[in-house]
Amino acid sequence: MTISTHKFNVLVVEDNEGDFILIEDYLKEKMNNPFVQQAKSFAGATGVLDKNKQFDVILLDLSLPDISGEELVKKISKLAEQIPIIVLTGYAQKNFGVKTLSLGVSDYLLKDEFTPTELYKSIIYSIERKRINSKLKESEQKYRHIFHSSPLPMWVYEIDTLRFLDVNNAAVRHYGYSQKDFLSMTIKDIRPPEDIKQLKKVVSLSEGKGELYFQGIFRHKKKSGEIIMVDIQSNIISFDGRHAELVLATDITEKLKAEQQLKKSEAALRKLNRELEKRVAERTTELMESNEELEMFNYAVSHELRAPLRFMNFCLVSIIKMRDKNQLEEAFEVIEDMLNASNKMYQQLEDLLAFSKVGKQTIKHEKFDMYQLLKEVLKDLGREYDLAKYTIEITPQPLVFGDKNLLYYLLRNLLSNALKYSSKKEKPHIEIDVEEKKQEFIYSIKDNGVGFNMKYYHALFKYFERLHSENEFAGNGAGLSIAQRIIKRHGGEIWAEGKEGKGACFYFSLPKKAPRSKF
């Protein structure tokens, strides 16, 4: 026989003395010197429980002199508070004994059938269940305290019906609905109408996967109608026996706005940096061009212009000497050489001014007919060259954007070169073509003239650089430098291909759309 060493306190509410003695013997058989107190009526039990509630268990007979049945069970349960109650009933009241379980008692035993062991097991089971229930209740109270004291909105809703089962104070404050409002609503009522379909999909998907935890960002609607963005975190729980979900809602509306504003600010800053970098690059290019122009002017003054001046000075000295010797005829020849040198210097100065002007004047973009402009240029060049001896082919030309006056100068220079350098051919031939690309037109002016050696290509577009001697062909080498500057001002490129004795082809590109001016 096993005897428990725990000191049990047992209240036996029983008016039959014989039954009490039997119960007391059963208890002493399984327990070590238990404290057993008898109450023979409900009034007696009330008096005992008012003074002492330190009992481990109450053994209750269902028939007392002053009260019995369901009323007795309800009143004793109220008095006992957390003390477990085991109902002892006769066989005739067996069915009611089962019913008492729904009234809150821990167990029931039939007086004529239970043994000391069964009684002991029932007491131990009831006490243990009480301990577990107390812990559960303590945990529930702790949960409810955390739930309602949380600074973030929280709620519990039933998954099957989507109805709110409980909401905390933060949810009431943040959403504007009262506790009563929430408990009459479903979670659909805090969603914009157009988001209901998405809500059903998310709930069914989560259920289908059997996920215990879920997180996502959704739109919610306050009572005022304001739409907010909310980060939802939820867990599946059992709430009062219902399949439910505990939700924590974090309003991230302002956070998202701040992030969007930050992204806009970062984008604006990146754009500003790109613009600044572009401007710095443009200003650097302008500075380099200015330095190149300054170097070119220095070179022109030091070399190209100084040489004619020295020659004219020499001529003047020679004329003075010839005058003294009465050599008038020779003097007139020297004067003629002097005039030629003067004209050459004048042309160099004109070209310098033209070069400088191209770099500084504002580009005036307009749409015009390139074919018509070519005809005007050729008509002008017809005063210098006998165009009848040339074969000139021009393919159909598109309308183009650009500064008509500057492009006139460009075409005149390139076509003048083509006419000049092919003039000594028996059958001079010039082709003017255009190729359309996605964002630009590529023009070409090809001749069958003397051409040039590609080994000297680097000097082709340099100011006052010449690949042919002045004795062969007139000119001072400024035209291609000016042409290059005109094309660059239009946002295009210029290049050339040539072969000695086989002619040359000059290419230049023009954007289809007018570029933003740097000036």
Side-chain angles (χ1 to χ4, degrees):
M1 178 175 63
T2 302
I3 299 178
S4 173
T5 57
H6 175 72
K7 182 72 172 179
F8 285 92
N9 292 329
V10 182
L11 172 62
V12 180
V13 184
E14 172 63 68
D15 63 329
N16 187 307
E17 194 64 31
D19 288 344
F20 171 73
I21 293 172
L22 178 65
I23 292 168
E24 187 177 32
D25 289 342
Y26 279 3
L27 293 172
K28 288 179 179 180
E29 182 177 333
K30 304 299 287 185
M31 300 174 182
N32 181 26
N33 194 25
F35 173 76
V36 182
Q37 185 170 351
Q38 181 184 15
K40 296 183 178 181
S41 64
F42 171 71
T46 301
V48 172
L49 290 172
D50 284 342
K51 295 177 182 178
N52 180 19
K53 283 192 170 59
Q54 301 304 313
F55 291 100
D56 293 305
V57 66
I58 297 174
L59 303 179
L60 175 65
D61 179 23
L62 284 178
S63 299
L64 297 177
D66 49 355
I67 191 172
S68 62
E70 184 174 338
E71 185 181 3
L72 171 62
V73 173
K74 289 180 178 179
K75 289 188 175 183
I76 285 291
S77 296
K78 188 175 181 181
L79 282 171
E81 295 178 354
Q82 298 300 316
I83 305 173
I85 300 171
I86 299 174
V87 168
L88 304 177
T89 181
Y91 189 79
Q93 293 181 304
K94 178 180 178 180
N95 291 336
F96 181 70
V98 174
K99 183 181 178 182
T100 59
L101 296 175
S102 65
L103 298 177
V105 302
S106 297
D107 198 5
Y108 78 94
L109 296 172
L110 297 177
K111 284 184 179 181
D112 298 331
E113 295 183 0
F114 72 82
T115 64
T117 299
E118 289 174 343
L119 177 60
Y120 177 73
K121 284 183 177 180
S122 180
I123 291 173
I124 295 300
Y125 165 76
S126 298
I127 292 172
E128 184 63 18
R129 189 168 74 168
K130 173 209 167 183
R131 185 184 68 80
I132 292 172
N133 285 340
S134 295
K135 283 192 173 182
L136 287 174
K137 188 171 183 180
E138 183 180 340
S139 296
E140 182 181 343
Q141 288 175 344
K142 187 181 293 184
Y143 147 75
R144 289 188 180 277
H145 175 73
I146 294 172
F147 178 81
H148 286 287
S149 61
S150 170
L152 296 175
M154 298 179 70
W155 58 78
V156 179
Y157 74 90
E158 188 174 24
I159 292 175
D160 294 335
T161 64
L162 304 183
R163 297 194 70 82
F164 286 100
L165 300 177
D166 197 4
V167 294
N168 70 353
N169 297 327
V172 171
R173 289 193 303 270
H174 198 73
Y175 282 79
Y177 299 99
S178 67
Q179 185 91 7
K180 184 178 179 182
D181 289 336
F182 267 117
L183 297 181
S184 67
M185 296 160 54
T186 71
I187 60 173
K188 291 189 292 185
D189 296 319
I190 61 168
R191 293 293 187 97
E194 60 270 24
D195 291 1
I196 300 299
K197 187 175 180 180
Q198 179 200 25
L199 170 64
K200 292 178 179 178
K201 184 178 179 180
V202 170
V203 172
S204 61
L205 182 63
S206 178
E207 280 290 281
K209 290 182 178 179
E211 294 178 343
L212 297 179
Y213 173 80
F214 176 80
Q215 190 274 334
I217 295 175
F218 303 95
R219 298 198 309 163
H220 280 186
K221 181 180 67 174
K222 291 185 176 183
K223 187 174 183 179
S224 64
E226 178 188 354
I227 302 298
I228 58 175
M229 297 300 295
V230 182
D231 184 0
I232 290 294
Q233 299 179 56
S234 64
N235 289 277
I236 302 295
I237 63 169
S238 177
F239 186 85
D240 291 341
R242 300 181 190 181
H243 189 41
E245 195 157 346
L246 173 63
V247 176
L248 172 67
T250 305
D251 188 342
I252 59 172
T253 307
E254 294 304 319
K255 177 186 175 184
L256 291 179
K257 286 181 180 178
E259 289 176 353
Q260 290 172 356
Q261 188 60 41
L262 180 60
K263 287 179 180 178
K264 288 181 180 178
S265 298
E266 289 175 345
L269 182 60
R270 286 194 295 270
K271 182 180 179 182
L272 180 60
N273 285 336
R274 287 195 299 269
E275 290 178 353
L276 288 174
E277 289 173 0
K278 187 176 180 181
R279 289 178 185 175
V280 169
E282 289 173 353
R283 296 296 181 265
T284 302
T285 301
E286 291 171 28
L287 182 59
M288 291 175 65
E289 290 176 351
S290 296
N291 287 337
E292 289 176 0
E293 184 176 339
L294 182 59
E295 289 177 6
M296 181 271 295
F297 272 95
N298 288 335
Y299 177 85
V301 171
S302 300
H303 298 81
E304 300 298 328
L305 297 179
R306 182 182 291 176
L309 285 172
R310 280 202 306 265
F311 180 74
M312 284 189 287
N313 185 59
F314 170 78
C315 289
L316 286 171
V317 172
S318 299
I319 290 170
I320 292 170
K321 289 179 180 180
M322 289 174 184
R323 183 196 63 179
D324 294 340
K325 295 179 180 181
N326 201 24
Q327 295 174 325
L328 295 178
E329 187 176 343
E330 291 85 347
F332 281 122
E333 290 178 2
V334 174
I335 290 171
E336 186 177 351
D337 290 339
M338 208 174 138
L339 285 172
N340 289 334
S342 174
N343 288 333
K344 182 179 178 181
M345 189 169 69
Y346 174 80
Q347 188 58 49
Q348 288 174 336
L349 288 170
E350 285 289 306
D351 289 340
L352 281 172
L353 292 172
F355 186 86
S356 177
K357 183 179 179 182
V358 168
K360 292 179 171 58
Q361 73 182 77
T362 302
I363 296 288
K364 297 178 182 179
H365 282 92
E366 58 179 310
K367 197 171 188 179
F368 62 89
D369 187 341
M370 181 65 91
Y371 180 76
Q372 188 62 36
L373 185 63
L374 283 165
K375 286 174 63 178
E376 292 177 17
V377 172
L378 287 170
K379 183 178 179 181
D380 184 22
L381 289 171
R383 299 186 182 95
E384 300 175 31
Y385 299 91
D386 182 8
L387 299 185
K389 63 179 281 190
Y390 292 85
T391 302
I392 301 175
E393 296 182 13
I394 304 176
T395 60
Q397 299 288 310
L399 296 178
V400 67
F401 274 104
D403 188 307
K404 191 174 179 180
N405 292 330
L406 289 179
L407 291 177
Y408 180 94
Y409 185 93
L410 167 83
L411 293 174
R412 193 183 192 289
N413 179 277
L414 296 179
L415 285 171
S416 177
N417 282 351
L419 292 168
K420 176 169 61 176
Y421 291 115
S422 63
S423 62
K424 295 182 180 181
K425 288 288 183 176
E426 185 179 346
K427 294 181 179 180
H429 181 255
I430 297 173
E431 296 178 16
I432 304 170
D433 196 7
V434 63
E435 181 183 358
E436 184 174 0
K437 298 290 187 179
K438 187 175 181 180
Q439 295 181 344
E440 62 184 359
F441 293 110
I442 307 294
Y443 294 88
S444 62
I445 298 177
K446 183 178 181 182
D447 65 70
N448 64 341
V450 295
F452 62 89
N453 192 331
M454 289 293 286
K455 183 170 65 172
Y456 304 108
Y457 181 84
H458 64 280
L460 193 62
F461 294 99
K462 286 189 176 180
Y463 201 85
F464 289 139
E465 291 281 353
R466 292 175 52 84
L467 302 187
H468 301 281
S469 70
E470 192 172 352
N471 292 330
E472 291 181 274
F473 300 98
N476 56 31
L480 288 179
S481 298
I482 298 174
Q484 184 183 54
R485 180 165 256 202
I486 290 171
I487 288 299
K488 283 187 175 181
R489 292 293 309 279
H490 281 77
E493 297 290 336
I494 186 169
W495 66 99
E497 295 174 355
K499 191 172 183 181
E500 286 184 304
K502 300 292 184 180
C505 185
F506 281 81
Y507 302 88
F508 64 90
S509 63
L510 285 176
K512 288 183 176 180
K513 293 183 179 179
R516 182 179 69 85
S517 175
K518 299 185 295 181
F519 303 92

